């Protein structure tokens, strides 16, 4: 697959852009991760990470990147006793998670539309 993709990407000035767009389009069908407050879910099976096959999973990146990561860092620190507990109700945390999910989905949609536009231009100009 990688060999055939390399041929498809080509070696011109747009090859890197084509690679990024096509790779993104191949991974687009994957289910997007969602933020949620564990305290509002009754089914612990929802905490499972399918690809990693682990029963409990949390994800975050550097807290300088996204608000959701700041919240996760603070909650994790509080649960480990490294800081005082967060003074937010579970429903308020879930409301923040829902908002972050909405913004993430809107951003992803714009990214998809941009990729679709580039792909259509690529198909049009490619012999």
């Amino acid at each position: 697959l990688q060999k055939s993709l390399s041929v498809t990407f080509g070696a011109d000035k747009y090859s890197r852009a084509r690679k990024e767009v096509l790779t993104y389009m191949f991974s687009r069908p994957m289910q997007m991760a969602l933020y949620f407050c564990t305290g509002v879910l009754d089914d612990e099976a929802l905490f499972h990470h399918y690809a990693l096959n682990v029963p409990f999973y949390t994800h975050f990146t550097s807290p300088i990147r996204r608000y959701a990561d700041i919240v996760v860092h603070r909650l994790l620190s509080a649960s480990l006793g490294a800081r005082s507990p967060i003074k937010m109700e579970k429903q308020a945390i879930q409301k923040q998670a829902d908002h972050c999910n909405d913004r993430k989905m809107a951003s992803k949609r714009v990214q998809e539309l941009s990729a679709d536009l580039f792909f259509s231009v690529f198909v049009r100009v490619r012999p």
Side-chain angles (χ1 to χ4, degrees), residues 44-83:
E44 286 189 0
L46 296 172
F47 306 165
H48 181 262
H49 190 287
Y50 175 77
L52 297 176
N53 195 27
V54 292
F56 297 104
Y57 178 81
T58 190
H59 170 83
F60 55 89
T61 61
S62 168
I64 63 170
R65 292 188 57 205
R66 295 184 299 230
Y67 176 71
D69 297 319
I70 293 171
V71 173
V72 172
H73 273 253
R74 289 176 180 167
L75 291 168
L76 188 57
S77 293
S79 71
L80 295 173
R83 65 171 287 153

Side-chain angles (χ1 to χ4, degrees), residues 13-28:
K13 65 181 180 178
Y14 299 112
S15 61
R16 181 175 174 184
R18 279 194 296 275
K19 178 182 179 184
E20 289 180 23
V21 169
L22 293 174
T23 301
Y24 169 76
M25 291 177 78
F26 296 142
S27 64
R28 190 159 71 180

